[in-house]
Each structure stands twice: as C-alpha cells, then as structure tokens.
Amino acid sequence: MADKIFYFLTFLSLISAMLVIFSRNPVHSVLYLILTFFCLSGHYILLNAQFLAAVNIIVYAGAIMVLFLFVIMFLNLREDTEPRKGMAAKLAAVVSGGLLLLIMVAALRTADMSTLNNPASFDSQIGLVENLGRVLFTDFLLPFELASVLFLVAMVGAVMLGKREAGERNF
Amino acid sequence: MEEIPGVIRTIPLNYYIFLSTALFVIGIVGVMVRRNALIIFMSIELMLNAVNLLLTAFSSYRSDPAGQVFVFFIMAVAAAEVTVGLAIIVMIYRNTRSVDVGILNRLKW
C-alpha cells in the first residue's frame, strides 16, 4: 500500500514540477508549485515526519506562495509580456540538465544504502513534534535563537529595499 | 520503538535520491530556460525542496532527528530569503518596468 502511494506522489510531484517551469502564466506556475509542495508533504507523512509535513504546508504553501501570488498580482504580470529565450538556449538548458540527471543516476544507481537502516535501534517516532521539539531546544538551541535574529534582519532588509528613496529613478 | 513505517520497508533509499535529483534538475532547467525573475525564484524554491526531501529521507531511514531539524532551519532561512528576494524583484520592476532578467545583463560588468 505504502509503495503505491509513494509512486503516485512521485509521479504527481514530478509532473507538477515540470508544469511549474513550462506554464506560460505565472499564476499557474504558483498554483502548480503549491501542488508540488503538497505532494512533498505527502512524502514527509509517508516517511513519518509529521512535524515537517505540517510546517511545509504552513510555511511554504501558506506563507511563501501567498507572498509570490501577492507580488505577481501587485506587478500585474501577464503571459504575453515575458520575452522568450531562443530555441538553441532552451535546448542547451534541457540537454545540460538531462546530462546532470544522467550522471547523478549513473553514479548513485549501484550505491548500497541498505546498511544505513539498523532495525535493532530503529525509532520511528523521531519525526513527531515531541521528539523534534526536545532536540530543537537542547542540541540546537543556539541556531534556533539565531534564526529569530535572521528573521529580524530579513524584515529590516525587506523594508529598506521596498522603501522609496529621494534620488531614485521612478517611472 | 514502534513498527518501521511501510515506505521504509518497501522502498529503497535510492528511489528518494533519484526523486530529489530529478526535482533538483527540473529546478536547474527552470533557472536556465526562463527569463521571468519570479519563475527563476520559484525554481530555486523547487531546488531547496528537493534538498529538504533528501535530508528528510536520510533522517527517517537512519532514525536520526538531526536531519529533520536541519530541514526546519532550511525552511526558516528560505522564508527569510524569499522576503528579501521578492523585495529586490519589486525594486527591479519599479526601476525597469519589467521582471526580465535579460535587462539586467549589465550587472556583469
């Protein structure tokens, strides 16, 4: 049962990720990206990482994609305004990306990962809120506090960048 | 210790590596194919999520919580990055009336 859900979610996430980069309308791209994030949340639930699944939906699909949608509607972007790249550039991009995929798959195809999983000491509950919270507030307390400073810096930076300045060229 | 989740028993870890490699490559192709700065930014988010999936898969297969904590921090940093990046894109639009990255090629010199 779990493997069928895995294959379905993999298929759906790859298709929607392709639609993100190939759809002409930016709003459609955002909606397909939200679909991709929901598929990845499904993967997290399959891997028993419930906390990350919830955070992925709240932070990515909720906050970040709403920010993207807001900016797209704020800038009033339409599909006919975007200049296209030439066919040769597109072909070169797809070929180089495909070559990277080929190299990675060929290098990792025979890698043996079965020794990673030790059934004797396996704990399936590590992805739950209680366990992750304990780790976060004991081993990773300093990075957690520094993340709040990072958010403050990001907020000040966004306000600084978004502010209109006196000598600036505005059409 | 509870039961091992079904996906860990039936799906090899290599499949997760292939899936996140494919998502990462789609993100790279998106950055190279498109000229709309917003779509390029979304492709970068796609690459970040591919890495997040890989970290979570390794963390779950090894039952080591540190990987999932790293994913949490990556999400926090991505949120901060998106606010600043979108502010920069809005500034570019305000100065050039477009979000085409081809216009900004003079930044090279």
Side-chain angles (χ1 to χ4, degrees), chain A residues 70-149:
Chain A
F70 174 72
V71 169
I72 286 173
M73 292 177 177
F74 181 64
L75 302 184
N76 197 15
L77 296 178
R78 279 181 304 274
E79 41 198 311
D80 50 349
T81 55
E82 187 192 347
R84 309 276 164 80
K85 272 195 176 173
M87 209 58 215
K90 278 186 183 173
L91 196 68
V94 172
V95 166
S96 52
L99 281 177
L100 177 64
L101 180 65
L102 189 72
I103 289 172
M104 294 288 279
V105 169
L108 294 167
R109 193 171 48 86
T110 54
D112 183 23
M113 305 283 179
S114 57
T115 53
L116 281 180
N117 188 354
N118 182 12
S121 63
F122 191 85
D123 182 12
S124 66
Q125 306 298 306
I126 55 149
L128 305 189
V129 179
E130 186 189 347
N131 273 306
L132 271 188
R134 192 179 302 122
V135 175
L136 199 59
F137 285 112
T138 52
D139 298 343
F140 294 92
L141 186 60
L142 182 64
F144 184 76
E145 296 296 336
L146 285 178
S148 63
V149 180

Coordinates of all heavy atoms in Angstrom, one line a residue, chain A residues 70-149:
Chain A
F70 N 1.0 37.4 -4.2 CA 0.8 38.8 -3.9 C 1.7 39.7 -4.9 O 1.2 40.7 -5.5 CB 1.1 39.1 -2.5 CG 1.1 40.6 -2.1 CD1 -0.1 41.2 -2.1 CD2 2.2 41.3 -1.9 CE1 -0.2 42.6 -1.8 CE2 2.2 42.6 -1.6 CZ 1.0 43.3 -1.5
V71 N 2.9 39.3 -5.0 CA 3.8 40.1 -5.8 C 3.4 40.0 -7.3 O 3.5 41.0 -8.0 CB 5.3 39.6 -5.6 CG1 6.2 40.2 -6.7 CG2 5.8 40.0 -4.3
I72 N 3.0 38.8 -7.8 CA 2.6 38.6 -9.2 C 1.4 39.5 -9.4 O 1.3 40.2 -10.5 CB 2.3 37.2 -9.5 CG1 3.5 36.4 -9.6 CG2 1.5 37.0 -10.8 CD1 3.3 34.9 -9.7
M73 N 0.4 39.6 -8.5 CA -0.8 40.4 -8.8 C -0.4 41.9 -8.6 O -1.0 42.7 -9.3 CB -1.9 40.0 -7.8 CG -2.4 38.6 -8.2 SD -3.6 38.0 -7.1 CE -4.0 36.5 -7.9
F74 N 0.5 42.2 -7.7 CA 1.0 43.5 -7.5 C 1.6 44.1 -8.7 O 1.4 45.3 -9.1 CB 1.9 43.5 -6.3 CG 2.5 44.8 -5.9 CD1 1.6 45.8 -5.4 CD2 3.8 45.1 -5.9 CE1 2.1 47.0 -5.0 CE2 4.3 46.3 -5.5 CZ 3.5 47.3 -5.1
L75 N 2.5 43.3 -9.4 CA 3.2 43.7 -10.6 C 2.3 43.6 -11.8 O 2.8 44.0 -12.9 CB 4.5 42.9 -10.7 CG 5.4 43.0 -9.6 CD1 6.7 42.2 -9.9 CD2 5.8 44.4 -9.3
N76 N 1.2 42.9 -11.8 CA 0.3 42.8 -12.9 C 1.0 42.1 -14.1 O 1.0 42.7 -15.2 CB -0.3 44.1 -13.3 CG -1.5 44.0 -14.1 OD1 -2.1 42.9 -14.2 ND2 -1.9 45.1 -14.8
L77 N 1.6 41.0 -13.8 CA 2.3 40.3 -14.9 C 1.3 39.5 -15.8 O 0.5 38.8 -15.2 CB 3.3 39.3 -14.3 CG 4.4 39.9 -13.5 CD1 5.3 38.8 -12.9 CD2 5.2 40.8 -14.3
R78 N 1.5 39.6 -17.1 CA 0.7 38.8 -18.0 C 1.6 37.9 -18.8 O 2.8 38.1 -18.9 CB -0.1 39.7 -18.9 CG -1.4 40.2 -18.2 CD -2.1 41.0 -19.2 NE -1.3 42.1 -19.7 CZ -1.2 43.3 -19.1 NH1 -1.8 43.5 -18.0 NH2 -0.4 44.2 -19.7
E79 N 1.0 36.8 -19.4 CA 1.8 35.9 -20.1 C 2.5 36.4 -21.3 O 3.5 35.9 -21.8 CB 1.1 34.6 -20.3 CG -0.4 34.8 -20.8 CD -1.2 33.6 -20.7 OE1 -0.8 32.6 -21.1 OE2 -2.3 33.7 -20.1
D80 N 1.8 37.4 -22.0 CA 2.4 37.9 -23.2 C 3.5 38.9 -23.1 O 4.1 39.3 -24.0 CB 1.2 38.5 -24.1 CG 0.4 39.5 -23.3 OD1 0.6 39.6 -22.1 OD2 -0.4 40.2 -23.9
T81 N 3.8 39.3 -21.8 CA 4.8 40.3 -21.6 C 6.2 39.7 -21.5 O 7.2 40.5 -21.6 CB 4.5 41.2 -20.4 OG1 4.4 40.3 -19.3 CG2 3.3 42.0 -20.6
E82 N 6.3 38.4 -21.2 CA 7.6 37.9 -21.0 C 8.3 37.6 -22.3 O 7.8 36.9 -23.2 CB 7.5 36.6 -20.2 CG 8.8 36.0 -19.8 CD 8.7 34.6 -19.2 OE1 7.6 34.2 -19.0 OE2 9.8 34.0 -19.1
P83 N 9.5 38.1 -22.5 CA 10.3 37.7 -23.7 C 10.8 36.3 -23.6 O 11.1 35.8 -22.5 CB 11.5 38.7 -23.7 CG 11.6 39.1 -22.3 CD 10.3 39.0 -21.6
R84 N 10.8 35.6 -24.7 CA 11.2 34.2 -24.8 C 12.6 34.1 -25.1 O 13.2 34.9 -25.8 CB 10.4 33.5 -25.9 CG 8.9 33.7 -25.8 CD 8.3 32.7 -24.9 NE 6.9 33.2 -24.5 CZ 5.9 33.0 -25.3 NH1 6.0 32.4 -26.5 NH2 4.7 33.4 -24.9
K85 N 13.2 33.0 -24.5 CA 14.6 32.7 -24.9 C 14.6 32.0 -26.3 O 13.6 31.4 -26.6 CB 15.2 31.8 -23.8 CG 15.9 32.7 -22.7 CD 16.8 31.8 -21.9 CE 17.5 32.7 -20.9 NZ 18.3 31.9 -20.0
G86 N 15.7 32.0 -26.9 CA 15.8 31.3 -28.2 C 15.7 29.8 -28.1 O 16.0 29.3 -27.0
M87 N 15.4 29.2 -29.2 CA 15.3 27.7 -29.2 C 16.6 27.0 -28.8 O 16.6 26.0 -28.1 CB 14.8 27.2 -30.5 CG 14.0 26.0 -30.5 SD 12.5 26.2 -29.5 CE 12.4 24.5 -28.8
A88 N 17.7 27.6 -29.3 CA 19.0 27.0 -29.0 C 19.3 27.0 -27.5 O 19.8 26.0 -27.0 CB 20.1 27.7 -29.8
A89 N 19.0 28.2 -26.9 CA 19.3 28.3 -25.5 C 18.5 27.3 -24.6 O 19.0 26.7 -23.7 CB 19.0 29.7 -25.0
K90 N 17.2 27.2 -25.1 CA 16.3 26.2 -24.3 C 16.8 24.8 -24.5 O 16.9 24.0 -23.5 CB 14.9 26.3 -24.9 CG 14.1 27.4 -24.3 CD 12.7 27.4 -24.8 CE 11.9 28.6 -24.3 NZ 10.6 28.7 -24.9
L91 N 17.2 24.5 -25.7 CA 17.7 23.1 -26.0 C 19.0 22.8 -25.2 O 19.1 21.8 -24.6 CB 18.0 22.9 -27.5 CG 18.1 21.5 -28.0 CD1 16.8 20.8 -27.8 CD2 18.6 21.4 -29.4
A92 N 19.9 23.8 -25.1 CA 21.1 23.6 -24.4 C 20.8 23.5 -22.9 O 21.4 22.6 -22.2 CB 22.0 24.9 -24.6
A93 N 19.8 24.2 -22.4 CA 19.5 24.1 -21.0 C 18.9 22.7 -20.7 O 19.4 22.1 -19.7 CB 18.4 25.2 -20.6
V94 N 18.0 22.2 -21.5 CA 17.4 20.9 -21.3 C 18.5 19.8 -21.4 O 18.5 18.9 -20.6 CB 16.2 20.7 -22.2 CG1 15.7 19.2 -22.1 CG2 15.1 21.6 -21.9
V95 N 19.4 19.9 -22.4 CA 20.4 18.9 -22.6 C 21.4 18.9 -21.4 O 21.7 17.8 -20.9 CB 21.1 19.1 -23.9 CG1 22.4 18.3 -24.0 CG2 20.3 18.8 -25.1
S96 N 21.8 20.1 -20.9 CA 22.7 20.1 -19.8 C 22.1 19.6 -18.5 O 22.7 18.8 -17.7 CB 23.3 21.4 -19.6 OG 22.3 22.4 -19.5
G97 N 20.8 19.9 -18.3 CA 20.1 19.4 -17.2 C 19.9 17.9 -17.2 O 20.1 17.2 -16.2
G98 N 19.6 17.4 -18.4 CA 19.5 15.9 -18.6 C 20.8 15.2 -18.4 O 20.8 14.1 -17.8
L99 N 21.9 15.8 -18.8 CA 23.2 15.2 -18.6 C 23.5 15.1 -17.1 O 24.0 14.1 -16.6 CB 24.3 16.0 -19.3 CG 24.4 15.7 -20.8 CD1 25.5 16.6 -21.4 CD2 24.8 14.3 -21.0
L100 N 23.2 16.2 -16.3 CA 23.4 16.2 -14.9 C 22.6 15.1 -14.3 O 23.1 14.3 -13.4 CB 23.0 17.5 -14.3 CG 23.2 17.6 -12.8 CD1 24.6 17.4 -12.4 CD2 22.6 18.9 -12.2
L101 N 21.3 14.9 -14.7 CA 20.5 13.9 -14.1 C 21.1 12.5 -14.5 O 21.1 11.6 -13.6 CB 19.1 14.0 -14.7 CG 18.1 13.0 -14.3 CD1 17.8 13.1 -12.8 CD2 16.8 13.1 -15.0
L102 N 21.6 12.3 -15.7 CA 22.1 11.1 -16.1 C 23.4 10.7 -15.3 O 23.5 9.6 -14.8 CB 22.5 11.2 -17.6 CG 23.0 9.9 -18.3 CD1 21.8 9.0 -18.5 CD2 23.6 10.2 -19.6
I103 N 24.2 11.7 -15.1 CA 25.5 11.5 -14.3 C 25.1 11.1 -12.8 O 25.7 10.1 -12.3 CB 26.4 12.7 -14.3 CG1 27.0 12.8 -15.7 CG2 27.5 12.6 -13.3 CD1 27.7 14.1 -15.9
M104 N 24.2 11.8 -12.3 CA 23.8 11.5 -10.9 C 23.2 10.1 -10.7 O 23.5 9.4 -9.8 CB 22.8 12.6 -10.4 CG 23.3 14.0 -10.3 SD 24.5 14.2 -8.9 CE 23.4 14.4 -7.6
V105 N 22.3 9.8 -11.7 CA 21.6 8.5 -11.6 C 22.7 7.4 -11.8 O 22.7 6.4 -11.1 CB 20.5 8.4 -12.6 CG1 20.0 7.0 -12.7 CG2 19.3 9.3 -12.1
A106 N 23.6 7.6 -12.8 CA 24.6 6.6 -13.1 C 25.5 6.4 -11.9 O 25.9 5.3 -11.6 CB 25.3 6.9 -14.3
A107 N 25.8 7.5 -11.2 CA 26.8 7.4 -10.1 C 26.1 6.7 -8.9 O 26.8 6.0 -8.1 CB 27.3 8.8 -9.7
L108 N 24.8 7.0 -8.7 CA 24.2 6.5 -7.4 C 23.4 5.2 -7.6 O 22.8 4.7 -6.7 CB 23.2 7.6 -6.9 CG 23.9 8.9 -6.5 CD1 22.9 10.0 -6.3 CD2 24.7 8.7 -5.2
R109 N 23.3 4.7 -8.9 CA 22.5 3.6 -9.1 C 22.9 2.3 -8.3 O 22.1 1.6 -7.8 CB 22.5 3.3 -10.6 CG 21.4 2.3 -11.1 CD 21.4 2.3 -12.6 NE 22.8 2.2 -13.2 CZ 23.4 1.0 -13.4 NH1 22.7 -0.1 -13.1 NH2 24.6 0.9 -13.8
T110 N 24.2 2.1 -8.3 CA 24.7 0.9 -7.6 C 25.1 1.1 -6.2 O 25.6 0.2 -5.5 CB 25.9 0.4 -8.4 OG1 26.9 1.5 -8.5 CG2 25.5 -0.1 -9.8
A111 N 24.8 2.4 -5.7 CA 25.2 2.6 -4.3 C 24.4 1.8 -3.3 O 23.2 1.6 -3.5 CB 25.0 4.1 -3.9
D112 N 25.0 1.2 -2.3 CA 24.3 0.3 -1.4 C 24.0 1.1 -0.2 O 24.8 1.5 0.6 CB 25.2 -0.9 -1.1 CG 24.5 -1.9 -0.2 OD1 23.2 -1.9 -0.2 OD2 25.1 -2.6 0.5
M113 N 22.7 1.3 0.0 CA 22.2 2.1 1.2 C 21.6 1.2 2.2 O 21.0 1.7 3.2 CB 21.1 3.1 0.7 CG 21.6 4.0 -0.4 SD 22.6 5.3 0.3 CE 23.0 6.1 -1.2
S114 N 21.6 -0.1 2.0 CA 20.8 -1.0 3.0 C 21.5 -1.0 4.3 O 20.8 -1.3 5.3 CB 20.7 -2.4 2.4 OG 22.0 -2.9 2.1
T115 N 22.8 -0.7 4.4 CA 23.4 -0.8 5.7 C 23.1 0.4 6.6 O 23.3 0.4 7.8 CB 24.9 -0.9 5.6 OG1 25.3 0.3 4.8 CG2 25.4 -2.1 4.9
L116 N 22.5 1.4 6.0 CA 22.1 2.6 6.8 C 21.1 2.3 7.8 O 21.1 2.8 8.9 CB 21.5 3.7 5.9 CG 22.5 4.5 5.1 CD1 21.7 5.5 4.3 CD2 23.4 5.3 6.0
N117 N 20.2 1.4 7.5 CA 19.0 1.1 8.3 C 19.3 0.0 9.3 O 19.5 -1.2 8.9 CB 17.8 0.8 7.4 CG 16.5 0.7 8.1 OD1 16.5 0.8 9.3 ND2 15.5 0.5 7.3
N118 N 19.4 0.3 10.5 CA 19.6 -0.7 11.6 C 18.4 -1.0 12.3 O 17.9 -0.2 13.1 CB 20.7 -0.2 12.5 CG 21.1 -1.2 13.5 OD1 20.7 -2.3 13.4 ND2 21.8 -0.7 14.6
P119 N 17.7 -2.2 12.0 CA 16.4 -2.4 12.6 C 16.4 -2.6 14.1 O 15.4 -2.3 14.8 CB 16.0 -3.8 12.0 CG 16.9 -4.0 10.8 CD 18.2 -3.2 11.1
A120 N 17.6 -2.9 14.7 CA 17.6 -3.1 16.2 C 17.4 -1.8 16.9 O 16.6 -1.8 17.9 CB 18.9 -3.7 16.5
S121 N 18.0 -0.7 16.4 CA 17.9 0.5 17.2 C 17.0 1.5 16.5 O 17.1 2.7 16.7 CB 19.3 1.1 17.3 OG 19.8 1.4 16.1
F122 N 16.1 1.0 15.6 CA 15.3 1.9 14.8 C 14.2 2.5 15.7 O 13.5 1.9 16.5 CB 14.6 1.2 13.7 CG 14.0 2.1 12.7 CD1 14.8 2.6 11.7 CD2 12.7 2.4 12.7 CE1 14.2 3.5 10.7 CE2 12.1 3.2 11.8 CZ 12.9 3.8 10.8
D123 N 14.0 3.9 15.6 CA 13.0 4.6 16.3 C 12.1 5.3 15.3 O 12.6 6.3 14.6 CB 13.6 5.5 17.3 CG 12.5 6.3 18.1 OD1 11.4 5.8 18.0 OD2 12.9 7.2 18.8
S124 N 10.9 4.9 15.1 CA 10.0 5.5 14.1 C 9.4 6.8 14.5 O 8.7 7.5 13.8 CB 9.0 4.6 13.6 OG 8.1 4.3 14.7
Q125 N 9.6 7.2 15.8 CA 8.9 8.3 16.4 C 9.7 9.6 16.3 O 9.3 10.6 16.9 CB 8.5 8.0 17.8 CG 7.7 6.8 18.0 CD 6.4 6.8 17.3 OE1 5.6 7.7 17.5 NE2 6.2 5.8 16.4
I126 N 10.9 9.6 15.6 CA 11.7 10.8 15.7 C 11.1 12.0 15.0 O 11.5 13.1 15.3 CB 13.1 10.5 15.1 CG1 12.9 10.0 13.6 CG2 13.9 9.6 15.9 CD1 14.0 10.4 12.8
G127 N 10.2 11.8 14.0 CA 9.7 13.0 13.3 C 8.5 13.6 14.0 O 7.9 14.5 13.4
L128 N 8.1 13.2 15.1 CA 6.9 13.7 15.8 C 7.3 15.0 16.6 O 8.5 15.2 16.8 CB 6.3 12.7 16.7 CG 5.9 11.4 16.1 CD1 5.1 10.5 17.0 CD2 5.1 11.6 14.8
V129 N 6.3 15.8 16.9 CA 6.6 17.1 17.4 C 7.4 17.0 18.8 O 8.3 17.8 19.0 CB 5.3 17.9 17.6 CG1 5.5 19.2 18.2 CG2 4.5 18.0 16.3
E130 N 7.0 16.0 19.6 CA 7.6 15.9 20.9 C 9.1 15.7 20.8 O 9.9 16.4 21.4 CB 6.9 14.8 21.7 CG 7.3 14.7 23.1 CD 6.8 13.4 23.7 OE1 5.9 12.8 23.1 OE2 7.3 13.1 24.8
N131 N 9.5 14.7 20.0 CA 10.9 14.4 19.8 C 11.7 15.5 19.2 O 12.8 15.9 19.7 CB 11.0 13.1 19.0 CG 10.9 11.9 19.9 OD1 11.7 11.8 20.9 ND2 10.0 11.0 19.5
L132 N 11.1 16.0 18.1 CA 11.9 17.1 17.4 C 12.0 18.4 18.3 O 13.0 19.0 18.3 CB 11.1 17.5 16.1 CG 11.5 16.7 14.9 CD1 10.9 17.3 13.7 CD2 13.0 16.7 14.7
G133 N 10.9 18.6 19.1 CA 11.0 19.8 19.9 C 12.1 19.6 21.0 O 12.8 20.6 21.3
R134 N 12.2 18.4 21.5 CA 13.2 18.2 22.5 C 14.6 18.4 21.9 O 15.5 19.0 22.5 CB 13.1 16.8 23.1 CG 13.9 16.6 24.3 CD 13.8 15.2 24.9 NE 12.4 14.8 25.3 CZ 11.8 13.8 24.8 NH1 12.4 13.0 23.9 NH2 10.6 13.5 25.1
V135 N 14.8 17.8 20.7 CA 16.1 18.0 20.1 C 16.4 19.5 19.8 O 17.5 20.0 20.0 CB 16.2 17.2 18.8 CG1 17.5 17.4 18.0 CG2 16.1 15.7 19.1
L136 N 15.3 20.2 19.3 CA 15.5 21.6 18.9 C 15.9 22.4 20.1 O 16.7 23.4 19.9 CB 14.2 22.0 18.3 CG 14.2 23.3 17.4 CD1 15.1 23.0 16.2 CD2 12.8 23.5 16.9
F137 N 15.3 22.2 21.2 CA 15.6 23.1 22.4 C 16.7 22.6 23.3 O 16.9 23.2 24.3 CB 14.3 23.2 23.2 CG 13.3 24.1 22.5 CD1 12.1 23.6 22.0 CD2 13.6 25.5 22.4 CE1 11.2 24.5 21.4 CE2 12.7 26.3 21.7 CZ 11.5 25.8 21.2
T138 N 17.3 21.5 22.9 CA 18.5 21.1 23.7 C 19.8 21.2 22.8 O 20.7 22.0 23.1 CB 18.4 19.7 24.2 OG1 18.1 18.8 23.1 CG2 17.3 19.6 25.3
D139 N 19.9 20.4 21.8 CA 21.1 20.4 21.0 C 21.2 21.6 20.0 O 22.3 22.0 19.7 CB 21.1 19.1 20.1 CG 21.2 17.9 21.0 OD1 21.5 18.0 22.2 OD2 20.9 16.8 20.5
F140 N 20.1 22.1 19.6 CA 20.1 23.1 18.5 C 19.5 24.4 19.0 O 18.9 25.2 18.3 CB 19.3 22.7 17.3 CG 19.9 21.5 16.6 CD1 19.6 20.2 16.9 CD2 20.9 21.7 15.6 CE1 20.2 19.2 16.3 CE2 21.5 20.7 15.0 CZ 21.1 19.4 15.3
L141 N 19.7 24.7 20.3 CA 19.1 25.9 20.9 C 19.7 27.2 20.3 O 19.0 28.1 20.0 CB 19.3 25.9 22.4 CG 18.6 27.0 23.2 CD1 17.1 26.9 22.9 CD2 18.8 27.0 24.6
L142 N 21.0 27.3 20.2 CA 21.7 28.5 19.6 C 21.3 28.8 18.2 O 20.9 29.9 17.9 CB 23.2 28.4 19.8 CG 24.0 29.6 19.3 CD1 23.6 30.8 20.2 CD2 25.5 29.3 19.3
P143 N 21.3 27.8 17.3 CA 20.8 28.1 15.9 C 19.3 28.5 15.9 O 19.0 29.4 15.1 CB 21.0 26.8 15.2 CG 22.0 26.0 15.9 CD 21.9 26.4 17.3
F144 N 18.5 28.0 16.8 CA 17.1 28.3 16.9 C 17.0 29.8 17.2 O 16.2 30.5 16.6 CB 16.4 27.4 17.9 CG 14.9 27.6 18.0 CD1 14.1 27.1 17.0 CD2 14.4 28.3 19.0 CE1 12.8 27.3 17.0 CE2 13.0 28.5 19.1 CZ 12.2 28.0 18.1
E145 N 17.8 30.2 18.2 CA 17.7 31.6 18.6 C 18.2 32.5 17.5 O 17.7 33.6 17.3 CB 18.4 31.9 19.9 CG 17.8 31.1 21.1 CD 16.4 31.6 21.4 OE1 16.1 32.8 21.1 OE2 15.7 30.8 22.0
L146 N 19.3 32.1 16.8 CA 19.9 32.9 15.8 C 18.9 33.0 14.6 O 19.0 34.0 13.9 CB 21.2 32.3 15.3 CG 22.4 32.4 16.2 CD1 23.6 31.7 15.7 CD2 22.7 33.9 16.5
A147 N 18.1 32.0 14.4 CA 17.1 32.1 13.3 C 16.2 33.3 13.5 O 15.8 34.0 12.6 CB 16.3 30.8 13.2
S148 N 15.8 33.6 14.8 CA 15.0 34.8 15.1 C 15.7 36.1 14.7 O 15.1 37.0 14.1 CB 14.5 34.8 16.5 OG 15.7 34.9 17.3
V149 N 17.0 36.1 15.0 CA 17.8 37.3 14.6 C 17.8 37.4 13.0 O 17.7 38.5 12.5 CB 19.3 37.2 15.1 CG1 20.1 38.4 14.7 CG2 19.2 37.1 16.6

